[in-house]
Protein backbone atom coordinates (compact mmCIF):
# COMPACT_ATOMS: atom_id res chain seq x y z
CA UNK A 1 0.00 0.00 0.00
CA UNK A 2 1.17 3.52 -0.79
CA UNK A 3 2.28 5.79 2.03
CA UNK A 4 0.94 8.80 0.10
CA UNK A 5 0.27 11.83 2.24
CA UNK A 6 0.95 10.10 5.53
CA UNK A 7 3.84 12.42 6.40
CA UNK A 8 1.89 15.62 5.72
CA UNK A 9 -0.99 14.55 7.96
CA UNK A 10 1.14 14.89 11.05
CA UNK A 11 3.36 17.78 9.94
CA UNK A 12 3.19 21.14 11.72
CA UNK A 13 5.08 23.92 9.97
CA UNK A 14 3.21 26.79 11.53
CA UNK A 15 2.15 26.32 15.13
CA UNK A 16 -0.24 29.25 15.43
CA UNK A 17 -3.42 27.22 15.76
CA UNK A 18 -1.85 24.02 17.03
CA UNK A 19 -3.65 22.12 19.78
CA UNK A 20 -2.31 18.82 21.00
CA UNK A 21 -5.78 17.55 21.79
CA UNK A 22 -6.60 17.54 18.08
CA UNK A 23 -4.14 14.68 17.66
CA UNK A 24 -5.01 11.13 18.68
CA UNK A 25 -2.08 9.02 19.98
CA UNK A 26 -3.88 5.87 18.77
CA UNK A 27 -4.40 7.12 15.21
CA UNK A 28 -3.27 4.72 12.49
CA UNK A 29 -4.81 6.51 9.49
CA UNK A 30 -6.24 3.98 7.08
CA UNK A 31 -3.64 1.40 8.11
CA UNK A 32 -5.24 -1.47 9.92
CA UNK A 33 -2.45 -3.59 11.37
CA UNK A 34 1.26 -4.15 11.65
CA UNK A 35 1.09 -6.75 8.88
CA UNK A 36 -0.65 -4.25 6.67
CA UNK A 37 2.22 -1.76 7.11
CA UNK A 38 5.19 -4.11 7.01
CA UNK A 39 5.73 -4.02 3.26
CA UNK A 40 5.64 -0.21 3.19
CA UNK A 41 8.11 -0.05 6.06
CA UNK A 42 10.51 -2.46 4.37
CA UNK A 43 10.34 -0.39 1.18
CA UNK A 44 10.90 2.82 3.15
CA UNK A 45 14.01 1.41 4.79
CA UNK A 46 15.43 0.29 1.43
CA UNK A 47 14.69 3.70 -0.12
CA UNK A 48 16.36 5.47 2.82
CA UNK A 49 19.52 3.41 2.28
CA UNK A 50 19.55 4.30 -1.39
CA UNK A 51 19.08 8.02 -0.77
CA UNK A 52 21.62 8.06 2.06
CA UNK A 53 24.22 6.73 -0.37
CA UNK A 54 23.64 9.76 -2.60
CA UNK A 55 23.57 12.16 0.36
CA UNK A 56 26.97 10.87 1.43
CA UNK A 57 28.45 10.91 -2.08
CA UNK A 58 27.19 14.42 -2.83
CA UNK A 59 28.53 15.71 0.50
CA UNK A 60 26.54 18.95 0.53
CA UNK A 61 23.36 18.50 2.53
CA UNK A 62 23.00 16.97 5.96
CA UNK A 63 19.90 15.69 7.71
CA UNK A 64 19.15 16.12 11.41
CA UNK A 65 16.34 14.09 13.00
CA UNK A 66 15.28 15.14 16.49
CA UNK A 67 13.28 12.81 18.74
CA UNK A 68 11.38 14.02 21.79
CA UNK A 69 8.82 12.15 23.85
CA UNK A 70 7.58 11.04 27.23
CA UNK A 71 9.25 7.91 28.62
CA UNK A 72 8.32 4.61 26.96
CA UNK A 73 6.98 6.33 23.86
CA UNK A 74 9.34 4.21 21.77
CA UNK A 75 12.13 6.60 20.74
CA UNK A 76 14.88 4.00 20.99
CA UNK A 77 12.98 1.31 19.10
CA UNK A 78 11.90 3.74 16.38
CA UNK A 79 15.47 4.93 15.84
CA UNK A 80 16.71 1.34 15.69
CA UNK A 81 14.11 0.19 13.18
CA UNK A 82 13.96 3.15 10.89
CA UNK A 83 17.72 3.46 10.54
CA UNK A 84 18.33 -0.29 10.28
CA UNK A 85 19.32 -0.12 6.62
CA UNK A 86 21.62 2.90 6.64
CA UNK A 87 25.37 2.87 6.32
CA UNK A 88 26.73 3.50 9.84
CA UNK A 89 29.66 5.46 8.39
CA UNK A 90 27.32 8.29 7.43
CA UNK A 91 25.06 8.28 10.45
CA UNK A 92 25.52 9.24 14.11
CA UNK A 93 23.11 8.95 17.02
CA UNK A 94 23.54 11.22 20.07
CA UNK A 95 21.57 10.90 23.30
CA UNK A 96 21.27 13.90 25.60
CA UNK A 97 20.64 13.28 29.27
CA UNK A 98 20.86 15.62 32.26
CA UNK A 99 23.74 18.03 31.53
CA UNK A 100 27.19 17.43 33.01
CA UNK A 101 28.98 20.07 35.15
CA UNK A 102 31.04 21.04 32.11
CA UNK A 103 27.94 21.39 29.92
CA UNK A 104 26.34 23.59 32.59
CA UNK A 105 29.24 26.01 32.23
CA UNK A 106 27.94 26.88 28.76
CA UNK A 107 24.81 28.16 27.04
CA UNK A 108 22.05 25.63 26.43
CA UNK A 109 22.83 25.13 22.72
CA UNK A 110 26.50 24.42 23.27
CA UNK A 111 26.49 20.66 23.76
CA UNK A 112 24.26 19.91 20.80
CA UNK A 113 25.86 22.33 18.35
CA UNK A 114 29.11 20.43 18.00
CA UNK A 115 27.17 17.23 17.46
CA UNK A 116 25.23 18.49 14.46
CA UNK A 117 25.73 16.18 11.47
CA UNK A 118 28.51 17.08 9.07
CA UNK A 119 27.76 17.46 5.35
CA UNK A 120 26.69 14.19 3.75
CA UNK A 121 25.66 12.71 7.10
CA UNK A 122 22.46 11.88 8.94
CA UNK A 123 22.42 12.92 12.60
CA UNK A 124 19.93 11.67 15.14
CA UNK A 125 19.29 13.42 18.45
CA UNK A 126 17.65 11.20 21.04
CA UNK A 127 16.41 14.15 23.13
CA UNK A 128 17.97 17.51 22.40
CA UNK A 129 18.08 21.22 23.27
CA UNK A 130 14.29 20.97 23.39
CA UNK A 131 14.65 19.49 26.89
CA UNK A 132 15.41 23.09 27.87
CA UNK A 133 11.78 24.06 27.25
CA UNK A 134 10.39 20.74 28.54
CA UNK A 135 11.96 19.15 31.62
CA UNK A 136 13.58 22.45 32.67
CA UNK A 137 10.24 24.23 32.32
CA UNK A 138 8.30 21.55 34.20
CA UNK A 139 10.95 21.42 36.96
CA UNK A 140 11.88 25.09 37.18
CA UNK A 141 14.44 24.40 39.91
CA UNK A 142 16.70 22.93 37.18
CA UNK A 143 17.06 26.43 35.83
CA UNK A 144 18.94 27.57 38.95
CA UNK A 145 21.46 24.80 38.27
CA UNK A 146 22.21 26.54 34.98
CA UNK A 147 23.37 29.64 36.89
CA UNK A 148 22.03 32.08 34.37
CA UNK A 149 22.27 35.64 35.78
CA UNK A 150 19.05 36.43 37.72
CA UNK A 151 18.18 39.33 35.49
CA UNK A 152 18.10 37.04 32.44
CA UNK A 153 16.24 34.15 34.03
CA UNK A 154 12.88 35.89 34.24
CA UNK A 155 9.45 34.61 33.21
CA UNK A 156 10.31 35.63 29.67
CA UNK A 157 13.00 32.97 29.45
CA UNK A 158 10.84 30.37 27.65
CA UNK A 159 9.91 32.81 24.92
CA UNK A 160 13.55 33.87 24.69
CA UNK A 161 14.52 30.23 24.26
CA UNK A 162 11.88 29.65 21.58
CA UNK A 163 13.22 32.65 19.71
CA UNK A 164 16.82 31.48 20.05
CA UNK A 165 15.94 27.96 18.88
CA UNK A 166 14.04 29.32 15.86
CA UNK A 167 16.95 31.55 14.89
CA UNK A 168 19.48 28.79 15.40
CA UNK A 169 17.54 26.26 13.34
CA UNK A 170 17.09 28.82 10.58
CA UNK A 171 20.83 29.41 10.59
CA UNK A 172 21.55 25.69 10.33
CA UNK A 173 18.92 25.22 7.60
CA UNK A 174 20.41 28.08 5.59
CA UNK A 175 23.73 26.32 5.73
CA UNK A 176 22.47 23.02 4.38
CA UNK A 177 21.05 21.03 7.29
CA UNK A 178 17.54 19.73 6.75
CA UNK A 179 15.92 19.48 10.19
CA UNK A 180 12.93 17.26 10.98
CA UNK A 181 11.56 16.97 14.52
CA UNK A 182 9.44 14.15 15.88
CA UNK A 183 7.25 14.31 18.95
CA UNK A 184 6.17 10.74 19.68
CA UNK A 185 2.69 11.33 21.02
CA UNK A 186 1.83 8.63 23.56
CA UNK A 187 -1.33 8.36 25.67
CA UNK A 188 -1.07 8.18 29.45
CA UNK A 189 -2.95 4.88 29.37
CA UNK A 190 -0.48 3.28 26.94
CA UNK A 191 2.48 4.55 29.00
CA UNK A 192 1.08 2.75 32.04
CA UNK A 193 0.74 -0.46 30.02
CA UNK A 194 4.36 -0.22 28.83
CA UNK A 195 5.70 0.56 32.32
CA UNK A 196 3.86 -2.48 33.70
CA UNK A 197 5.39 -4.63 30.95
CA UNK A 198 8.83 -3.34 31.96
CA UNK A 199 8.12 -4.43 35.53
CA UNK A 200 6.59 -7.79 34.66
CA UNK A 201 8.90 -9.03 31.91
CA UNK A 202 12.44 -9.85 33.14
CA UNK A 203 14.06 -8.94 29.80
CA UNK A 204 12.48 -5.48 30.01
CA UNK A 205 13.37 -4.81 33.68
CA UNK A 206 16.57 -2.98 32.74
CA UNK A 207 14.56 -0.34 30.92
CA UNK A 208 12.62 0.58 34.03
CA UNK A 209 13.62 3.50 36.20
CA UNK A 210 11.67 4.64 39.27
CA UNK A 211 12.11 8.25 38.17
CA UNK A 212 10.05 7.52 35.04
CA UNK A 213 7.01 6.81 37.22
CA UNK A 214 7.73 9.98 39.18
CA UNK A 215 7.76 12.06 35.97
CA UNK A 216 4.33 10.60 35.13
CA UNK A 217 2.93 12.70 38.01
CA UNK A 218 3.76 15.76 35.91
CA UNK A 219 1.98 14.43 32.80
CA UNK A 220 -0.33 17.43 32.34
CA UNK A 221 2.53 19.92 32.78
CA UNK A 222 4.57 18.08 30.17
CA UNK A 223 1.67 18.02 27.71
CA UNK A 224 1.30 21.80 28.13
CA UNK A 225 5.04 22.28 27.64
CA UNK A 226 5.03 20.12 24.50
CA UNK A 227 2.08 22.00 23.08
CA UNK A 228 3.71 25.36 23.68
CA UNK A 229 7.00 24.11 22.24
CA UNK A 230 5.30 22.91 19.03
CA UNK A 231 3.33 26.17 18.74
CA UNK A 232 6.48 28.22 18.99
CA UNK A 233 9.10 26.24 17.12
CA UNK A 234 7.28 24.77 14.10
CA UNK A 235 8.65 26.27 10.91
CA UNK A 236 8.76 25.35 7.23
CA UNK A 237 12.47 24.53 7.34
CA UNK A 238 12.29 22.70 10.69
CA UNK A 239 8.76 21.29 11.10
CA UNK A 240 7.49 19.19 13.98
CA UNK A 241 5.72 15.91 13.32
CA UNK A 242 3.23 14.86 15.97
CA UNK A 243 3.56 11.12 15.49
CA UNK A 244 0.90 8.87 17.04
CA UNK A 245 2.84 6.57 19.38
CA UNK A 246 0.33 4.13 20.87
CA UNK A 247 1.06 1.67 18.04
CA UNK A 248 4.77 1.25 17.49
CA UNK A 249 4.43 -0.09 13.96
CA UNK A 250 2.55 3.04 12.90
CA UNK A 251 5.05 5.37 14.60
CA UNK A 252 7.84 3.72 12.60
CA UNK A 253 5.92 3.92 9.36
CA UNK A 254 5.29 7.65 9.75
CA UNK A 255 8.91 8.40 10.66
CA UNK A 256 10.25 6.33 7.80
CA UNK A 257 7.96 8.11 5.34
CA UNK A 258 9.06 11.53 6.59
CA UNK A 259 12.74 10.60 6.19
CA UNK A 260 12.22 9.34 2.64
CA UNK A 261 10.15 12.39 1.66
CA UNK A 262 12.74 14.75 3.13
CA UNK A 263 15.69 13.11 1.40
CA UNK A 264 13.74 13.05 -1.87
CA UNK A 265 13.02 16.77 -1.55
CA UNK A 266 16.77 17.48 -1.59
CA UNK A 267 17.12 16.28 -5.21
CA UNK A 268 20.22 14.29 -4.36
CA UNK A 269 22.44 12.88 -7.07
CA UNK A 270 25.87 11.32 -7.39
CA UNK A 271 28.59 13.86 -8.22
CA UNK A 272 29.13 14.26 -11.99
CA UNK A 273 32.42 13.03 -13.39
CA UNK A 274 34.17 15.75 -15.44
CA UNK A 275 36.37 15.19 -18.49
CA UNK A 276 39.64 15.12 -16.53
CA UNK A 277 38.26 12.61 -14.06
CA UNK A 278 36.87 10.44 -16.87
CA UNK A 279 40.33 10.31 -18.44
CA UNK A 280 41.81 9.34 -15.07
CA UNK A 281 39.30 6.49 -14.77
CA UNK A 282 40.04 5.25 -18.28
CA UNK A 283 43.80 5.29 -17.61
CA UNK A 284 43.31 3.36 -14.39
CA UNK A 285 41.18 0.76 -16.17
CA UNK A 286 43.78 0.33 -18.94
CA UNK A 287 46.51 -0.12 -16.37
CA UNK A 288 44.55 -2.74 -14.46
CA UNK A 289 43.64 -4.67 -17.60
CA UNK A 290 47.27 -4.75 -18.69
CA UNK A 291 48.40 -6.58 -15.53
P1 LIG B 1 15.50 7.91 27.82
O1 LIG B 1 14.75 8.32 29.05
O2 LIG B 1 15.63 9.01 26.81
O3 LIG B 1 15.00 6.64 27.22
P2 LIG B 1 17.57 6.94 29.51
O4 LIG B 1 16.50 6.37 30.38
O5 LIG B 1 18.68 6.08 29.05
O6 LIG B 1 16.98 7.62 28.23
P3 LIG B 1 17.86 8.98 31.44
O7 LIG B 1 18.87 8.76 32.49
O8 LIG B 1 16.42 8.84 31.74
O9 LIG B 1 18.27 8.16 30.18
O10 LIG B 1 18.18 10.43 30.82
C1 LIG B 1 17.27 11.17 30.22
C2 LIG B 1 16.78 12.21 31.20
O11 LIG B 1 17.63 13.36 31.07
C3 LIG B 1 15.39 12.63 30.91
O12 LIG B 1 14.58 12.57 32.05
C4 LIG B 1 15.55 14.07 30.45
O13 LIG B 1 14.46 14.87 30.79
C5 LIG B 1 16.83 14.49 31.15
N1 LIG B 1 17.45 15.64 30.47
C6 LIG B 1 17.82 15.71 29.17
N2 LIG B 1 18.28 16.94 28.88
C7 LIG B 1 18.20 17.67 30.00
C8 LIG B 1 18.49 19.00 30.32
N3 LIG B 1 18.98 19.85 29.42
N4 LIG B 1 18.30 19.41 31.59
C9 LIG B 1 17.81 18.56 32.50
N5 LIG B 1 17.48 17.29 32.26
C10 LIG B 1 17.67 16.84 31.03
MG1 LIG C 1 14.83 7.62 30.98
Amino acid sequence: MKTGKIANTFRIDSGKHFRLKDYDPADTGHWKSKEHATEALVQGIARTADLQDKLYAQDKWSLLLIFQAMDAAGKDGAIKHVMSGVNPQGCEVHSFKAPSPQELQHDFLWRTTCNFPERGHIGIFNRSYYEEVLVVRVHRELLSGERIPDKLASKRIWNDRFEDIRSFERHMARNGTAIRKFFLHLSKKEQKKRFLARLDEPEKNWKFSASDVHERDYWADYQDAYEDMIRNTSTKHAPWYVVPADNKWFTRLVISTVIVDTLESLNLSYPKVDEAKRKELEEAKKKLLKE
Side-chain angles (χ1 to χ4, degrees):
M1 178 163 291
K2 285 232 160 16
T3 42
K5 303 231 170 308
I6 202 175
N8 290 344
T9 313
F10 305 106
R11 176 183 169 118
I12 322 289
D13 51 18
S14 161
K16 236 184 186 172
H17 305 292
F18 175 75
R19 285 182 321 180
L20 197 50
K21 70 172 188 328
D22 294 339
Y23 289 77
D24 176 7
D27 191 5
T28 59
H30 61 275
W31 299 76
K32 300 205 168 40
S33 65
K34 186 174 178 174
E35 292 65 41
H36 190 194
T38 300
E39 194 193 325
L41 189 54
V42 169
Q43 280 172 5
I45 287 168
R47 186 80 188 117
T48 304
D50 194 37
L51 289 160
Q52 185 213 6
D53 204 46
K54 289 192 182 125
L55 179 83
Y56 190 84
Q58 194 183 50
D59 200 17
K60 289 189 172 173
W61 292 97
S62 55
L63 174 64
L64 174 66
L65 307 171
I66 294 182
F67 290 86
Q68 289 290 159
M70 296 298 285
D71 284 302
K75 284 185 281 105
D76 294 12
I79 293 169
K80 193 162 102 184
H81 268 78
V82 167
M83 303 317 286
S84 56
V86 308
N87 178 357
Q89 284 212 90
C91 178
E92 295 91 35
V93 184
H94 298 279
S95 299
F96 297 98
K97 300 177 193 280
S100 69
Q102 191 203 14
E103 287 166 351
L104 287 171
Q105 288 297 108
H106 296 270
D107 71 278
F108 79 94
L109 290 172
W110 182 78
R111 65 172 176 165
T112 38
T113 303
C114 50
N115 287 305
F116 259 63
E118 56 186 83
R119 295 192 195 283
H121 285 226
I122 299 176
I124 295 173
F125 285 178
N126 184 350
R127 302 186 187 272
S128 64
Y129 43 85
Y130 280 104
E131 290 291 330
E132 295 289 339
V133 292
L134 295 168
V135 67
V136 182
R137 191 171 187 183
V138 171
H139 299 286
R140 236 204 107 109
E141 64 279 9
L142 290 172
L143 198 58
S144 351
E146 298 187 8
R147 298 196 314 285
I148 296 165
D150 294 344
K151 199 171 110 184
L152 304 176
S154 70
K155 268 211 285 210
R156 271 196 49 86
I157 193 161
W158 314 114
N159 280 327
D160 290 348
R161 286 187 169 183
F162 289 143
E163 191 182 312
D164 294 339
I165 289 172
R166 284 196 304 268
S167 306
F168 177 66
E169 289 180 345
R170 191 181 55 190
H171 159 72
M172 296 311 284
R174 281 177 172 167
N175 281 277
T177 304
I179 303 172
R180 297 294 181 268
K181 305 177 298 205
F182 302 97
F183 166 50
L184 272 47
H185 185 28
L186 182 73
S187 68
K188 198 173 178 191
K189 196 168 140 214
E190 180 64 22
Q191 190 195 49
K192 180 176 174 181
K193 210 170 117 194
R194 292 186 190 174
F195 279 168
L196 287 172
R198 287 180 179 185
L199 291 165
D200 290 341
E201 298 169 34
E203 65 278 17
K204 288 189 178 167
N205 283 171
W206 67 274
K207 282 192 192 171
F208 186 81
S209 146
S211 66
D212 294 351
V213 174
H214 177 68
E215 284 313 283
R216 192 175 153 81
D217 293 341
Y218 298 90
W219 185 273
D221 295 342
Y222 271 110
Q223 300 299 301
D224 289 348
Y226 272 111
E227 183 174 79
D228 209 31
M229 171 194 84
I230 293 167
R231 276 172 174 252
N232 283 284
T233 58
S234 295
T235 57
K236 278 216 157 55
H237 52 265
W240 275 105
Y241 290 86
V242 178
V243 187
D246 278 8
N247 297 284
K248 289 181 180 173
W249 58 268
F250 189 66
T251 311
R252 293 167 191 177
L253 181 64
V254 174
I255 296 167
S256 169
T257 308
V258 172
I259 296 172
V260 170
D261 282 9
T262 306
L263 289 170
E264 274 175 348
S265 73
L266 301 179
N267 288 320
L268 302 167
S269 59
Y270 290 106
K272 287 235 161 29
V273 172
D274 61 17
E275 210 34 53
K277 181 82 182 170
R278 191 175 306 285
K279 276 215 173 96
E280 198 183 303
L281 298 178
E282 275 165 18
E283 291 301 317
K285 189 171 171 184
K286 265 191 218 154
K287 189 163 180 264
L288 282 168
L289 290 173
K290 253 197 221 156
E291 275 180 11

